[in-house]
Amino acid sequence: MQRLRAATLDELPPDVARPRYDRAAAATGIVHLGIGAFQRAHQAMYTEAALDAGDLRWGIVGASLRSASVRDALKPQDGLYTLAVRGTAGERVQVIGAIKDVLVAPEDPEALLRALCDPAVKIVTLTVTEKGYCYDPATTALDETHSDIVHDLANPAQPRTAPGFLVEALLRRRAVKTSAFTVLCCDNLPHNGRTVAAIVTRYAALRDPQLAGTIRNEVAFPSTMVDRITPATTPEDRAAISARLGFEDAAPVVTEPFSQWVIEDRFPAGRPDWSRAGAEFVTDVAPYENMKLRLLNGSHSTLAYLGYLAGYETVADTMQDPNYRRLAEGVMDDAATTLKMPPGADVAAYKRALMERYANPALKHRTWQICMDGSQKLPQRLLGSIRDRLAMGAPIDRLVMGVAGWMRYVTGIDEHGQPIDVRDPLSARLRTIADDAGLVAERLAPALLAVHEIFAPELAADPRFRAAVTRALARIIAKGAKAVVADL
Ligand code: CS2
């Protein structure tokens, strides 16, 4: 089978959407750090709509900060890839042309710095996942002891981290009087613009206090709420999509029909009209972000830990179990009581839509994938809601289920004695803690609650929280996750 390429675009089946603009004429206005499936299903799709509308300033140079795999797949196909949108109504397929080039930072950090210093680049977008910010999840402050941050401070011209690249590039731009780019975080961090601004400014201060002042004054970090469920692409997806195209695509992305992007409109250097594909520009993103992190991601993680332990492979599988549906709804109901809702939001409709999205049988979203990096996710997804419920004197039994499920999960051994492939920056430490404590909730829960990067001291010390988590964990250990969810 021939490869998808610019030269084969005209031969695609007629029902496959494709770029309508002159790709060769598009400039590079955006550098994206962390070019994974999510960015290709979300931000690149929105940018494609702006390009299609004729604004050719906004081609994207993508960069991987770790592996070469996306570059290796996209390069031979001129950056083109297929976005397959799968819902109950079938599949819609679009070939996207917004990505002009892909760089692999560890191979050539200088090439990425050069791209970041291009005066035509006005925006740097990021999807490097929570751990890519090298922060302390409990406080959201830069982790100054992080080995990659220590490396970058010692070798500022050969950075490895997102803060390292951003600050070195901003410094170089300032030196040649090129105006700063806008930094747009598209990760699920709490108050993501503000959080990343603080991380980057702190890193800059460690390099050069004057630069920190410039960044504070001159660089915009708008906050965003991003939402589209995008599982990792499987070999079956690649085969099916290639068959549908009649050309081999090594880098397709499968996603759901739903997509939402709410953006704080602060772009001093200009921006694409992402509203062409439905993005919403607002002055305050915080209520949208909190609603999404606490209702969606909070229930997602809960389903993922307890679902994985029960042997459910995908989120859609957990939705077949009425007890898990009830748990997800309960987590959303409790989390919703802690929120200031966005203007005009219909919470009941939002929750209903989430349940439908989770049940989408066409998406094989593995519980294991969502379980990844729990240490980086728990604070903003569940612990914030728990803290607020405690302050209200409200019950937290349903909200602690995900935390207890996580505690059982990070022991690294499942309910059948089989190993769990726990992926987490803290996995080795969590495993040692679990091994030392043994499968005894009264020892395991307090030992994990002492991991201060995840659990802020005040919450960890709260007797109501300690008791509720320990009780839930004890029941999961004794009866198994599925039975405990059924009993709720
Ligand atoms: C998921 C998210 O993997 C995860 O942790 O909860 O990636 C989720 O699918 C997205 O935030 C949906 O927008």
Side-chain angles (χ1 to χ4, degrees):
M1 198 183 263
Q2 276 193 69
R3 196 70 177 261
L4 171 68
R5 277 186 296 118
T8 54
L9 267 180
D10 288 342
E11 297 163 47
L12 292 173
D15 62 342
V16 174
R18 68 205 73 179
R20 292 188 298 256
Y21 56 96
D22 178 4
R23 287 188 78 218
T28 299
I30 298 174
V31 172
H32 181 79
L33 305 184
I35 183 162
F38 175 71
Q39 187 263 348
R40 305 209 303 283
H42 192 266
Q43 183 232 324
M45 177 281 291
Y46 286 88
T47 305
E48 182 81 346
L51 290 163
D52 259 336
D55 186 352
L56 296 186
R57 289 174 296 168
W58 303 110
I60 301 170
V61 167
S64 300
L65 297 189
R66 290 136 75 98
S67 100
S69 58
V70 175
R71 191 269 320 272
D72 293 348
L74 279 180
K75 247 325 209 235
Q77 42 198 63
D78 303 316
L80 295 165
Y81 66 94
T82 312
L83 182 61
V85 178
R86 289 189 190 155
T88 32
E91 184 185 64
R92 204 158 29 86
V93 173
Q94 175 184 13
V95 169
I96 290 193
I99 294 170
K100 293 183 67 74
D101 198 5
V102 185
L103 306 173
V104 181
E107 284 178 7
D108 188 355
E110 189 57 34
L112 176 52
L113 286 168
R114 260 198 317 275
L116 288 164
C117 290
D118 176 350
V121 168
K122 306 295 185 197
I123 305 173
V124 177
T125 49
L126 297 99
T127 53
V128 293
T129 79
E130 295 85 347
K131 62 177 173 287
Y133 296 91
C134 310
Y135 75 157
D136 182 284
T139 63
T140 74
L142 177 71
D143 175 4
E144 296 173 24
T145 65
H146 192 293
S147 60
D148 289 338
I149 292 295
V150 172
H151 168 274
D152 285 8
L153 287 168
N155 308 277
Q158 282 99 39
R160 287 179 185 158
T161 69
F165 275 104
L166 292 172
V167 169
E168 177 66 11
L170 287 166
L171 199 72
R172 292 188 188 186
R173 287 174 82 108
R174 189 182 62 165
V176 297
K177 302 206 158 41
T178 301
S179 59
F181 44 66
T182 297
V183 178
L184 190 64
C185 171
C186 301
D187 279 297
N188 290 313
L189 311 187
H191 312 295
N192 60 8
R194 204 170 74 204
T195 298
V196 174
I199 291 167
V200 169
T201 315
R202 177 64 194 152
Y203 175 87
L206 295 172
R207 280 198 58 186
D208 170 356
Q210 213 196 331
L211 176 67
T214 315
I215 291 182
R216 212 172 290 118
N217 295 330
E218 292 175 14
V219 184
F221 292 84
S223 277
T224 64
M225 180 267 250
V226 295
D227 188 7
R228 194 168 212 187
I229 294 176
T230 308
T233 309
T234 64
E236 296 76 47
D237 296 330
R238 276 190 283 276
I241 290 164
S242 298
R244 166 120 192 226
L245 295 183
F247 291 92
E248 187 199 341
D249 182 352
V253 181
V254 175
T255 192
E256 61 173 341
F258 182 91
S259 184
Q260 193 177 14
W261 197 8
V262 185
I263 309 166
E264 193 184 337
D265 201 0
R266 269 193 309 126
F267 293 82
R271 57 159 173 83
D273 185 6
W274 286 311
S275 68
R276 294 264 172 193
E280 302 155 71
F281 290 96
V282 301
T283 47
D284 183 14
V285 177
Y288 297 90
E289 258 189 313
N290 268 327
M291 176 178 76
K292 194 257 171 171
L293 284 169
R294 293 188 178 188
L295 296 193
L296 190 162
N297 296 111
S299 63
H300 227 193
S301 286
T302 303
L303 287 172
Y305 291 116
L306 295 160
Y308 183 95
L309 292 170
Y312 292 129
E313 193 178 347
T314 67
V315 175
D317 292 342
T318 68
M319 288 287 103
Q320 300 290 320
D321 181 331
N323 301 319
Y324 277 69
R325 294 182 67 91
R326 213 156 24 87
L327 171 65
E329 281 166 346
V331 168
M332 290 184 211
D333 287 342
D334 289 350
T337 63
T338 70
L339 294 175
K340 172 176 165 256
M341 284 296 168
D346 178 345
V347 196
Y350 188 78
K351 288 187 222 158
R352 258 197 321 276
L354 284 179
M355 296 299 288
E356 258 173 53
R357 292 170 62 195
Y358 291 170
N360 183 347
L363 284 192
K364 303 276 174 264
H365 201 186
R366 293 178 66 195
T367 49
W368 175 82
Q369 191 188 349
I370 301 162
C371 289
M372 235 184 276
D373 295 341
S375 69
Q376 316 288 304
K377 294 173 173 171
L378 291 183
Q380 60 274 26
R381 295 181 176 210
L382 289 166
L383 303 183
S385 302
I386 290 172
R387 193 195 52 221
D388 291 351
R389 294 273 296 176
L390 287 171
M392 291 162 25
I396 54 170
D397 311 348
R398 299 188 287 200
L399 288 169
V400 297
M401 287 304 299
V403 181
W406 169 81
M407 289 178 164
R408 177 66 186 82
Y409 182 86
V410 297
T411 64
I413 305 290
D414 75 11
E415 294 181 352
H416 306 286
Q418 297 302 309
I420 304 174
D421 181 7
V422 178
R423 303 275 177 96
D424 193 295
L426 300 187
S427 61
R429 207 168 116 210
L430 298 172
R431 180 64 189 261
T432 307
I433 291 172
D435 287 349
D436 288 348
L439 257 193
V440 180
E442 291 70 19
R443 285 212 301 265
L444 182 56
L448 288 169
L449 288 173
V451 179
H452 60 83
E453 291 93 328
I454 308 172
F455 300 99
E458 212 183 313
L459 178 65
D462 190 303
R464 294 166 296 173
F465 178 53
R466 298 178 72 84
V469 176
T470 308
R471 200 166 49 233
L473 180 59
R475 288 167 58 214
I476 293 171
I477 292 172
K479 304 178 75 174
K482 199 184 267 188
V484 175
V485 174
D487 283 350
L488 273 178

PDB file of all heavy atoms in Angstrom, residues 134-158:
ATOM      1  N   CYS A 134       7.322  19.433  35.336  1.00  0.00           N
ATOM      2  CA  CYS A 134       8.309  19.257  36.409  1.00  0.00           C
ATOM      3  C   CYS A 134       7.887  20.027  37.650  1.00  0.00           C
ATOM      4  O   CYS A 134       8.656  20.807  38.210  1.00  0.00           O
ATOM      5  CB  CYS A 134       9.696  19.721  35.956  1.00  0.00           C
ATOM      6  SG  CYS A 134      10.208  19.020  34.376  1.00  0.00           S
ATOM      7  N   TYR A 135       6.638  19.857  38.026  1.00  0.00           N
ATOM      8  CA  TYR A 135       6.157  20.596  39.187  1.00  0.00           C
ATOM      9  C   TYR A 135       5.784  19.642  40.301  1.00  0.00           C
ATOM     10  O   TYR A 135       5.814  18.428  40.144  1.00  0.00           O
ATOM     11  CB  TYR A 135       4.993  21.510  38.805  1.00  0.00           C
ATOM     12  CG  TYR A 135       3.638  20.847  38.562  1.00  0.00           C
ATOM     13  CD1 TYR A 135       2.471  21.594  38.694  1.00  0.00           C
ATOM     14  CD2 TYR A 135       3.506  19.509  38.203  1.00  0.00           C
ATOM     15  CE1 TYR A 135       1.220  21.038  38.484  1.00  0.00           C
ATOM     16  CE2 TYR A 135       2.257  18.938  37.985  1.00  0.00           C
ATOM     17  CZ  TYR A 135       1.123  19.708  38.132  1.00  0.00           C
ATOM     18  OH  TYR A 135      -0.110  19.161  37.930  1.00  0.00           O
ATOM     19  N   ASP A 136       5.508  20.264  41.437  1.00  0.00           N
ATOM     20  CA  ASP A 136       5.070  19.507  42.591  1.00  0.00           C
ATOM     21  C   ASP A 136       3.543  19.493  42.543  1.00  0.00           C
ATOM     22  O   ASP A 136       2.929  20.540  42.684  1.00  0.00           O
ATOM     23  CB  ASP A 136       5.589  20.239  43.829  1.00  0.00           C
ATOM     24  CG  ASP A 136       5.238  19.535  45.115  1.00  0.00           C
ATOM     25  OD1 ASP A 136       4.061  19.624  45.543  1.00  0.00           O
ATOM     26  OD2 ASP A 136       6.118  18.894  45.685  1.00  0.00           O
ATOM     27  N   PRO A 137       2.942  18.339  42.303  1.00  0.00           N
ATOM     28  CA  PRO A 137       1.493  18.333  42.064  1.00  0.00           C
ATOM     29  C   PRO A 137       0.673  18.918  43.224  1.00  0.00           C
ATOM     30  O   PRO A 137      -0.337  19.568  42.975  1.00  0.00           O
ATOM     31  CB  PRO A 137       1.162  16.848  41.865  1.00  0.00           C
ATOM     32  CG  PRO A 137       2.451  16.201  41.491  1.00  0.00           C
ATOM     33  CD  PRO A 137       3.547  17.002  42.147  1.00  0.00           C
ATOM     34  N   ALA A 138       1.115  18.727  44.446  1.00  0.00           N
ATOM     35  CA  ALA A 138       0.320  19.225  45.580  1.00  0.00           C
ATOM     36  C   ALA A 138       0.316  20.744  45.643  1.00  0.00           C
ATOM     37  O   ALA A 138      -0.689  21.352  45.989  1.00  0.00           O
ATOM     38  CB  ALA A 138       0.835  18.644  46.895  1.00  0.00           C
ATOM     39  N   THR A 139       1.445  21.375  45.290  1.00  0.00           N
ATOM     40  CA  THR A 139       1.516  22.843  45.409  1.00  0.00           C
ATOM     41  C   THR A 139       1.480  23.526  44.050  1.00  0.00           C
ATOM     42  O   THR A 139       1.279  24.741  43.984  1.00  0.00           O
ATOM     43  CB  THR A 139       2.828  23.271  46.080  1.00  0.00           C
ATOM     44  OG1 THR A 139       3.925  22.854  45.233  1.00  0.00           O
ATOM     45  CG2 THR A 139       2.977  22.643  47.450  1.00  0.00           C
ATOM     46  N   THR A 140       1.713  22.798  42.990  1.00  0.00           N
ATOM     47  CA  THR A 140       1.852  23.263  41.601  1.00  0.00           C
ATOM     48  C   THR A 140       3.080  24.165  41.397  1.00  0.00           C
ATOM     49  O   THR A 140       3.207  24.815  40.374  1.00  0.00           O
ATOM     50  CB  THR A 140       0.593  23.991  41.039  1.00  0.00           C
ATOM     51  OG1 THR A 140       0.486  25.288  41.613  1.00  0.00           O
ATOM     52  CG2 THR A 140      -0.680  23.201  41.252  1.00  0.00           C
ATOM     53  N   ALA A 141       3.997  24.191  42.350  1.00  0.00           N
ATOM     54  CA  ALA A 141       5.229  24.988  42.179  1.00  0.00           C
ATOM     55  C   ALA A 141       6.282  24.151  41.457  1.00  0.00           C
ATOM     56  O   ALA A 141       6.278  22.918  41.540  1.00  0.00           O
ATOM     57  CB  ALA A 141       5.756  25.428  43.538  1.00  0.00           C
ATOM     58  N   LEU A 142       7.199  24.844  40.752  1.00  0.00           N
ATOM     59  CA  LEU A 142       8.299  24.149  40.078  1.00  0.00           C
ATOM     60  C   LEU A 142       9.049  23.275  41.078  1.00  0.00           C
ATOM     61  O   LEU A 142       9.353  23.705  42.187  1.00  0.00           O
ATOM     62  CB  LEU A 142       9.266  25.191  39.486  1.00  0.00           C
ATOM     63  CG  LEU A 142      10.520  24.630  38.800  1.00  0.00           C
ATOM     64  CD1 LEU A 142      10.166  23.942  37.484  1.00  0.00           C
ATOM     65  CD2 LEU A 142      11.551  25.744  38.554  1.00  0.00           C
ATOM     66  N   ASP A 143       9.342  22.043  40.657  1.00  0.00           N
ATOM     67  CA  ASP A 143      10.153  21.158  41.498  1.00  0.00           C
ATOM     68  C   ASP A 143      11.618  21.428  41.173  1.00  0.00           C
ATOM     69  O   ASP A 143      12.164  20.914  40.209  1.00  0.00           O
ATOM     70  CB  ASP A 143       9.782  19.697  41.201  1.00  0.00           C
ATOM     71  CG  ASP A 143      10.673  18.711  41.955  1.00  0.00           C
ATOM     72  OD1 ASP A 143      11.526  19.170  42.758  1.00  0.00           O
ATOM     73  OD2 ASP A 143      10.518  17.495  41.735  1.00  0.00           O
ATOM     74  N   GLU A 144      12.240  22.230  42.009  1.00  0.00           N
ATOM     75  CA  GLU A 144      13.607  22.689  41.709  1.00  0.00           C
ATOM     76  C   GLU A 144      14.631  21.575  41.861  1.00  0.00           C
ATOM     77  O   GLU A 144      15.773  21.714  41.429  1.00  0.00           O
ATOM     78  CB  GLU A 144      13.957  23.896  42.597  1.00  0.00           C
ATOM     79  CG  GLU A 144      13.062  25.078  42.277  1.00  0.00           C
ATOM     80  CD  GLU A 144      13.240  26.258  43.216  1.00  0.00           C
ATOM     81  OE1 GLU A 144      14.311  26.398  43.821  1.00  0.00           O
ATOM     82  OE2 GLU A 144      12.272  27.038  43.344  1.00  0.00           O
ATOM     83  N   THR A 145      14.214  20.473  42.481  1.00  0.00           N
ATOM     84  CA  THR A 145      15.144  19.350  42.654  1.00  0.00           C
ATOM     85  C   THR A 145      14.972  18.312  41.538  1.00  0.00           C
ATOM     86  O   THR A 145      15.685  17.318  41.510  1.00  0.00           O
ATOM     87  CB  THR A 145      14.910  18.655  44.012  1.00  0.00           C
ATOM     88  OG1 THR A 145      13.590  18.068  43.982  1.00  0.00           O
ATOM     89  CG2 THR A 145      15.012  19.631  45.159  1.00  0.00           C
ATOM     90  N   HIS A 146      14.014  18.529  40.638  1.00  0.00           N
ATOM     91  CA  HIS A 146      13.768  17.586  39.529  1.00  0.00           C
ATOM     92  C   HIS A 146      15.054  17.436  38.710  1.00  0.00           C
ATOM     93  O   HIS A 146      15.669  18.447  38.325  1.00  0.00           O
ATOM     94  CB  HIS A 146      12.647  18.156  38.661  1.00  0.00           C
ATOM     95  CG  HIS A 146      12.086  17.185  37.670  1.00  0.00           C
ATOM     96  ND1 HIS A 146      12.822  16.703  36.608  1.00  0.00           N
ATOM     97  CD2 HIS A 146      10.866  16.610  37.579  1.00  0.00           C
ATOM     98  CE1 HIS A 146      12.075  15.878  35.898  1.00  0.00           C
ATOM     99  NE2 HIS A 146      10.877  15.799  36.467  1.00  0.00           N
ATOM    100  N   SER A 147      15.444  16.198  38.408  1.00  0.00           N
ATOM    101  CA  SER A 147      16.768  16.006  37.789  1.00  0.00           C
ATOM    102  C   SER A 147      16.863  16.718  36.432  1.00  0.00           C
ATOM    103  O   SER A 147      17.918  17.250  36.087  1.00  0.00           O
ATOM    104  CB  SER A 147      17.070  14.515  37.649  1.00  0.00           C
ATOM    105  OG  SER A 147      16.082  13.915  36.844  1.00  0.00           O
ATOM    106  N   ASP A 148      15.782  16.772  35.675  1.00  0.00           N
ATOM    107  CA  ASP A 148      15.843  17.456  34.379  1.00  0.00           C
ATOM    108  C   ASP A 148      15.917  18.983  34.539  1.00  0.00           C
ATOM    109  O   ASP A 148      16.515  19.667  33.708  1.00  0.00           O
ATOM    110  CB  ASP A 148      14.632  17.086  33.509  1.00  0.00           C
ATOM    111  CG  ASP A 148      14.721  15.642  33.014  1.00  0.00           C
ATOM    112  OD1 ASP A 148      15.845  15.091  32.984  1.00  0.00           O
ATOM    113  OD2 ASP A 148      13.672  15.068  32.683  1.00  0.00           O
ATOM    114  N   ILE A 149      15.303  19.495  35.567  1.00  0.00           N
ATOM    115  CA  ILE A 149      15.401  20.940  35.834  1.00  0.00           C
ATOM    116  C   ILE A 149      16.834  21.271  36.267  1.00  0.00           C
ATOM    117  O   ILE A 149      17.435  22.239  35.796  1.00  0.00           O
ATOM    118  CB  ILE A 149      14.370  21.370  36.909  1.00  0.00           C
ATOM    119  CG1 ILE A 149      12.940  21.242  36.349  1.00  0.00           C
ATOM    120  CG2 ILE A 149      14.632  22.786  37.416  1.00  0.00           C
ATOM    121  CD1 ILE A 149      12.614  22.173  35.182  1.00  0.00           C
ATOM    122  N   VAL A 150      17.401  20.437  37.125  1.00  0.00           N
ATOM    123  CA  VAL A 150      18.797  20.630  37.552  1.00  0.00           C
ATOM    124  C   VAL A 150      19.689  20.585  36.312  1.00  0.00           C
ATOM    125  O   VAL A 150      20.574  21.425  36.129  1.00  0.00           O
ATOM    126  CB  VAL A 150      19.192  19.544  38.586  1.00  0.00           C
ATOM    127  CG1 VAL A 150      20.686  19.603  38.886  1.00  0.00           C
ATOM    128  CG2 VAL A 150      18.366  19.716  39.860  1.00  0.00           C
ATOM    129  N   HIS A 151      19.414  19.629  35.433  1.00  0.00           N
ATOM    130  CA  HIS A 151      20.188  19.536  34.184  1.00  0.00           C
ATOM    131  C   HIS A 151      20.064  20.814  33.360  1.00  0.00           C
ATOM    132  O   HIS A 151      21.041  21.366  32.869  1.00  0.00           O
ATOM    133  CB  HIS A 151      19.715  18.335  33.349  1.00  0.00           C
ATOM    134  CG  HIS A 151      20.261  18.345  31.957  1.00  0.00           C
ATOM    135  ND1 HIS A 151      19.641  19.044  30.916  1.00  0.00           N
ATOM    136  CD2 HIS A 151      21.380  17.814  31.417  1.00  0.00           C
ATOM    137  CE1 HIS A 151      20.364  18.927  29.816  1.00  0.00           C
ATOM    138  NE2 HIS A 151      21.424  18.175  30.088  1.00  0.00           N
ATOM    139  N   ASP A 152      18.830  21.286  33.191  1.00  0.00           N
ATOM    140  CA  ASP A 152      18.603  22.449  32.317  1.00  0.00           C
ATOM    141  C   ASP A 152      19.238  23.715  32.887  1.00  0.00           C
ATOM    142  O   ASP A 152      19.745  24.553  32.129  1.00  0.00           O
ATOM    143  CB  ASP A 152      17.102  22.670  32.092  1.00  0.00           C
ATOM    144  CG  ASP A 152      16.523  21.647  31.113  1.00  0.00           C
ATOM    145  OD1 ASP A 152      17.255  20.710  30.748  1.00  0.00           O
ATOM    146  OD2 ASP A 152      15.347  21.796  30.731  1.00  0.00           O
ATOM    147  N   LEU A 153      19.221  23.844  34.201  1.00  0.00           N
ATOM    148  CA  LEU A 153      19.843  25.036  34.790  1.00  0.00           C
ATOM    149  C   LEU A 153      21.361  24.988  34.593  1.00  0.00           C
ATOM    150  O   LEU A 153      22.000  26.022  34.398  1.00  0.00           O
ATOM    151  CB  LEU A 153      19.498  25.122  36.282  1.00  0.00           C
ATOM    152  CG  LEU A 153      18.044  25.531  36.561  1.00  0.00           C
ATOM    153  CD1 LEU A 153      17.696  25.316  38.040  1.00  0.00           C
ATOM    154  CD2 LEU A 153      17.790  26.987  36.169  1.00  0.00           C
ATOM    155  N   ALA A 154      21.906  23.777  34.576  1.00  0.00           N
ATOM    156  CA  ALA A 154      23.356  23.645  34.387  1.00  0.00           C
ATOM    157  C   ALA A 154      23.737  23.723  32.909  1.00  0.00           C
ATOM    158  O   ALA A 154      24.867  24.085  32.573  1.00  0.00           O
ATOM    159  CB  ALA A 154      23.836  22.331  34.999  1.00  0.00           C
ATOM    160  N   ASN A 155      22.819  23.371  32.022  1.00  0.00           N
ATOM    161  CA  ASN A 155      23.095  23.370  30.576  1.00  0.00           C
ATOM    162  C   ASN A 155      21.992  24.118  29.830  1.00  0.00           C
ATOM    163  O   ASN A 155      21.246  23.530  29.046  1.00  0.00           O
ATOM    164  CB  ASN A 155      23.126  21.924  30.042  1.00  0.00           C
ATOM    165  CG  ASN A 155      24.051  21.040  30.835  1.00  0.00           C
ATOM    166  OD1 ASN A 155      25.253  21.023  30.593  1.00  0.00           O
ATOM    167  ND2 ASN A 155      23.501  20.327  31.812  1.00  0.00           N
ATOM    168  N   PRO A 156      21.870  25.400  30.070  1.00  0.00           N
ATOM    169  CA  PRO A 156      20.690  26.129  29.551  1.00  0.00           C
ATOM    170  C   PRO A 156      20.567  26.130  28.034  1.00  0.00           C
ATOM    171  O   PRO A 156      19.466  26.271  27.512  1.00  0.00           O
ATOM    172  CB  PRO A 156      20.875  27.550  30.079  1.00  0.00           C
ATOM    173  CG  PRO A 156      22.279  27.641  30.551  1.00  0.00           C
ATOM    174  CD  PRO A 156      22.759  26.263  30.861  1.00  0.00           C
ATOM    175  N   ALA A 157      21.650  25.928  27.327  1.00  0.00           N
ATOM    176  CA  ALA A 157      21.562  25.957  25.863  1.00  0.00           C
ATOM    177  C   ALA A 157      21.196  24.593  25.284  1.00  0.00           C
ATOM    178  O   ALA A 157      20.926  24.485  24.081  1.00  0.00           O
ATOM    179  CB  ALA A 157      22.865  26.455  25.261  1.00  0.00           C
ATOM    180  N   GLN A 158      21.181  23.553  26.127  1.00  0.00           N
ATOM    181  CA  GLN A 158      20.735  22.224  25.656  1.00  0.00           C
ATOM    182  C   GLN A 158      19.630  21.706  26.575  1.00  0.00           C
ATOM    183  O   GLN A 158      19.778  20.687  27.233  1.00  0.00           O
ATOM    184  CB  GLN A 158      21.875  21.206  25.673  1.00  0.00           C
ATOM    185  CG  GLN A 158      22.852  21.296  24.522  1.00  0.00           C
ATOM    186  CD  GLN A 158      24.102  22.063  24.941  1.00  0.00           C
ATOM    187  OE1 GLN A 158      24.583  21.910  26.043  1.00  0.00           O
ATOM    188  NE2 GLN A 158      24.590  22.913  24.049  1.00  0.00           N
TER     189      GLN A 158
END
